[in-house]
Amino acid sequence: GNGAGAPGFVRPWFALIAVEDPSDGEGELGDFYPPTSNHPLPAFTVAGTALSFLDQAAAWAHVHVVGAPGAVGSVPDYAASLAHDEPGRVIARLLCPRKLRPRAIYRVLHVPTYERGRLAGLGEDPTSATAEAPAWAPAAVDVRLPVYYEWRFGTGDAADFEQLARRLAPRPIASP
């Protein structure tokens, strides 16, 4: 297996998850664990209902190279040279597949998708898991996840992405 879930796809190392961050402290975001000398990353316990299915993670990640490729020998060597010599040409995107509610506050967490990454981020022995083991199972209840980056935002009354996309209408382009 390739840790993908779907033939021909490799699960990305990271995922974005959005959890509701209510002011009353109840919800999908549980206990907070600040960084310590044993684990340098902050961590949260996240309710399983907020976690996307990792067998679909490849659909929510994208990497591309800006500009025409140079001479390509082996793909791994080319990728390594780009990352070292021209990192600005390599663009990576992570998308969060969650549908958001109006007038809600969310916290977005950048988390590992492999169990070894989860364990390493928590300061635990990553070799205790197989290389392809996912960081959480589809039926997970509460999962303690290290967080590499996070931010908060709020949604408005309406006009989520789906509503905005539905408002798009074709218009003729004037000839020059």
Side-chain angles (χ1 to χ4, degrees):
N2 61 8
F9 292 96
V10 176
R11 182 184 326 127
W13 293 354
F14 296 100
L16 291 180
I17 57 173
V19 292
E20 282 199 57
D21 196 10
S23 59
D24 62 8
E26 296 295 322
E28 300 165 322
L29 199 57
D31 295 335
F32 171 71
Y33 303 90
T36 68
S37 59
N38 293 337
H39 65 89
L41 297 173
F44 285 97
T45 301
V46 179
T49 55
L51 300 172
S52 56
F53 294 113
L54 289 178
D55 63 344
Q56 300 171 4
W60 303 105
H62 170 75
V63 176
H64 76 269
V65 175
V66 176
V72 177
S74 76
V75 171
D77 290 342
Y78 179 64
S81 71
L82 270 178
H84 182 268
D85 300 333
E86 301 178 76
R89 289 184 56 204
V90 181
I91 308 292
R93 292 181 183 91
L94 290 175
L95 303 172
C96 180
R98 179 157 190 179
K99 185 166 181 156
L100 305 176
R101 289 184 328 103
R103 295 182 312 269
I105 302 296
Y106 288 90
R107 187 177 293 200
V108 179
L109 308 175
H110 182 237
V111 299
T113 62
Y114 286 90
E115 180 65 1
R116 283 188 172 180
R118 189 185 80 81
L119 292 172
L122 295 174
E124 299 177 22
D125 179 13
T127 62
S128 67
T130 63
E132 296 178 2
W136 61 84
V141 176
D142 289 320
V143 180
R144 186 172 171 188
L145 292 170
V147 176
Y148 286 85
Y149 191 77
E150 69 172 292
W151 69 93
R152 294 170 120 169
F153 71 94
T155 56
D157 288 332
D160 65 10
F161 181 80
E162 181 181 354
Q163 291 171 341
L164 291 173
R166 290 182 186 278
R167 289 182 191 168
L168 293 175
R171 293 200 169 110
I173 297 175
S175 299

